[in-house]
Amino acid sequence: MANELPAKFDEFVEARKQGFLAAKEFKEKGGKLAGFLCSYTPLEVLMAGGISAVGLCGTSNETVPDAEKVLPKNLCPLIKSTYGFAYSEKCPYTYFSDIIIGETTCDGKKKMYELLSELKDVYVLHLPQGQGRPYSKEIWYQEVKMLKERLEEKFGIEITDEALREAVKKRNKLRRAITEMYELQANVPPVMKGSQMMLTLMSGSFKFDVDEYIDGVLNVVEKAKADYAAGKSTVSTKDKRILLTGCPSGGVIQKIGMVIENNGGVIVCLDDCSGERTNRMLIDEDADDILRAISDRYLEINCSVMTTNEARLENTRAMIEKYKVDGVIEVVLQACHTFNVESVKVCRMVEDMGIPYMKLETDYSTADNGQLETRISAFLEML
């Protein structure tokens, strides 16, 4: 694809224009760009091929009306927003991506990728439906291997074991930095607002350079530690300690994350697919078969699309204890059936521990902002 700006470029706000110009400059310098949407995407394979990976999950209601010209209205907002940004050419990273890596984590995404492939080059990884079958690891290994071969073919490159091993080391370094940031919240009071962590992670997913992402996280960690040691914490010991779980939370930082923290709560644990439970999972850097070590690690990720998914419940239980949680809030995006059904089991487990639980079912619009604030405020007051 030619590195031309979209036809509507002049209509965009300044921040978006800068994003487009930065992506355009990156491509003109020979950069290779891949978009991805899910934690199951084996990013080390991309990195080993010299391909920068950026997160493309839609987290805004802005392009949902565009998407609904094609997609049904009663579909997950993340899926509609993601497709809408491609359809409307409003996201610089989608627009300039050479390839988008999808995955069969839900039926809505799976079918959306068929339509997205009419706009962009899309490669879809076929995920096993569970981790417990004896053949699951081999199926997923073959999927990761096929992705490697597809990238080699598309970009005319060779992805070597040596490059994979170096990518593993760098991604592990990033995971350790992110985990260190999360673990600061175990302090009483927590070291920072949870929404600050969420914004750090979201901004990092758009970095072309992983070293820059690592430095950004470590800078946040060091500043937060220094401020805490100097008694400059912005969090009170009276703030109720909340574990936020459920669907990816990037699109609800303002309407849920910040509302929690403006009404006497503080998010001490982010327990979604980009949260601590995933980042604590490292890859064996010294494994004999490094590609298999990569594929094995990614298959262990606990998502509601897996049947069964008991490891998620075990992790949430451990996080409640580790972070001294006062209450659990689960975010379910509308029409996300897997998380919505699984929330029943989460609720049972949490309440059996004697911890209050609340489920919020929402989308990316502002229509329910008032109702959410009322419910969140009442829940926090009850704790």
Side-chain angles (χ1 to χ4, degrees):
M1 169 182 166
N3 297 326
E4 299 295 330
L5 293 167
K8 296 180 180 179
F9 176 76
D10 289 335
E11 300 173 17
F12 296 155
V13 297
E14 190 59 32
R16 182 164 295 168
K17 285 183 178 180
Q18 292 306 313
F20 268 99
L21 292 172
K24 183 175 185 290
E25 181 182 7
F26 174 78
K27 292 294 296 296
E28 287 175 342
K29 289 181 177 178
K32 299 186 284 287
L33 191 62
F36 70 98
L37 285 91
C38 182
S39 296
Y40 285 109
T41 308
L43 299 177
E44 288 79 4
V45 177
L46 295 163
M47 179 182 290
I51 305 162
S52 291
V54 289
L56 295 185
C57 276
T59 56
S60 163
N61 202 59
E62 178 187 355
T63 62
V64 167
D66 292 308
E68 288 178 347
K69 295 174 184 176
V70 180
L71 300 175
K73 287 182 168 56
N74 61 340
L75 192 62
C76 162
L78 185 152
I79 297 172
K80 290 192 291 186
S81 180
T82 300
Y83 181 81
F85 273 111
Y87 183 78
S88 63
E89 298 185 340
K90 290 180 178 178
C91 173
Y93 312 106
T94 306
Y95 183 82
F96 280 114
S97 62
D98 297 295
I99 190 169
I100 294 174
I101 312 301
E103 74 314 309
T104 56
T105 44
C106 78
D107 290 341
K109 269 191 186 180
K110 186 165 67 176
K111 300 307 289 185
M112 181 271 283
Y113 291 139
E114 295 180 14
L115 299 176
L116 186 61
S117 66
E118 298 172 0
L119 307 174
K120 300 293 298 185
D121 184 4
V122 177
Y123 184 87
V124 178
L125 291 155
H126 288 239
L127 192 71
Q129 295 192 1
Q131 300 146 319
R133 294 286 197 268
Y135 50 77
S136 295
K137 283 189 175 182
E138 187 59 31
I139 288 174
W140 186 238
Y141 172 73
Q142 292 299 329
E143 286 292 323
V144 173
K145 184 180 178 184
M146 287 167 64
L147 171 64
K148 171 180 171 290
E149 292 167 353
R150 174 71 179 91
L151 295 173
E152 288 175 325
E153 176 189 8
K154 178 177 177 64
F155 293 103
I157 57 176
E158 180 184 3
I159 298 175
T160 65
D161 281 0
E162 181 182 1
L164 286 169
R165 208 173 296 277
E166 288 305 308
V168 164
K169 291 177 181 178
K170 187 162 289 191
R171 283 277 168 191
N172 275 350
K173 184 178 179 181
L174 174 60
R175 292 182 186 110
R176 291 187 185 99
I178 291 173
T179 301
E180 183 181 3
M181 179 173 65
Y182 282 132
E183 290 182 336
L184 292 177
Q185 297 302 86
N187 286 277
V188 181
V191 170
M192 69 182 88
K193 296 282 191 181
S195 54
Q196 182 182 355
M197 292 194 308
M198 296 163 78
L199 289 169
T200 299
L201 291 168
M202 174 172 272
S203 64
S205 70
F206 299 117
K207 303 288 188 188
F208 299 141
D209 186 341
V210 174
D211 286 323
E212 187 180 346
Y213 190 180
I214 294 169
D215 289 343
V217 173
L218 291 177
N219 287 339
V220 169
V221 169
E222 293 309 311
K223 184 178 187 307
K225 282 181 176 179
D227 288 346
Y228 195 75
K232 297 179 182 177
S233 174
T234 57
V235 185
S236 167
T237 53
K238 296 180 180 179
D239 289 340
K240 301 303 180 183
R241 302 171 67 89
I242 300 299
L243 179 146
L244 194 65
T245 190
C247 291
S249 55
V252 294
I253 295 174
Q254 185 169 359
K255 73 184 295 187
I256 292 179
M258 292 182 180
V259 169
I260 290 170
E261 299 191 322
N262 289 336
N263 284 275
V266 57
I267 298 166
V268 292
C269 183
L270 187 61
D271 185 39
D272 63 13
C273 59
S274 63
E276 184 180 334
R277 74 170 184 258
T278 300
N279 281 287
R280 276 191 290 109
M281 298 165 56
L282 302 180
I283 299 171
D284 182 359
E285 299 171 8
D286 300 315
D288 291 335
D289 187 339
I290 192 64
L291 187 65
R292 191 173 292 276
I294 292 168
S295 70
D296 285 352
R297 180 267 177 192
Y298 279 91
L299 187 61
E300 290 176 3
I301 292 172
N302 304 313
C303 176
S304 65
V305 300
M306 289 294 179
T307 302
T308 58
N309 191 32
E310 297 303 315
R312 178 197 171 196
L313 300 181
E314 294 169 8
N315 178 83
T316 301
R317 181 190 297 276
M319 293 297 98
I320 288 171
E321 294 172 349
K322 176 179 178 180
Y323 288 92
K324 309 171 191 70
V325 167
D326 296 313
V328 171
I329 295 178
E330 180 153 24
V331 177
V332 176
L333 295 176
Q334 288 174 3
C336 184
H337 304 310
T338 57
F339 272 105
N340 214 348
V341 173
E342 192 166 278
S343 69
V344 176
K345 300 178 79 171
V346 176
C347 177
R348 287 175 188 161
M349 183 272 293
V350 172
E351 291 185 344
D352 283 347
M353 295 180 69
I355 303 294
Y357 166 94
M358 179 173 67
K359 180 175 78 173
L360 300 174
E361 191 171 352
T362 189
D363 60 12
Y364 295 155
S365 74
T366 59
D368 60 347
N369 280 11
Q371 181 190 69
L372 287 176
E373 181 153 12
T374 299
R375 289 188 62 198
I376 291 169
S377 178
F379 179 75
L380 293 170
E381 192 173 326
M382 176 195 72
L383 297 180

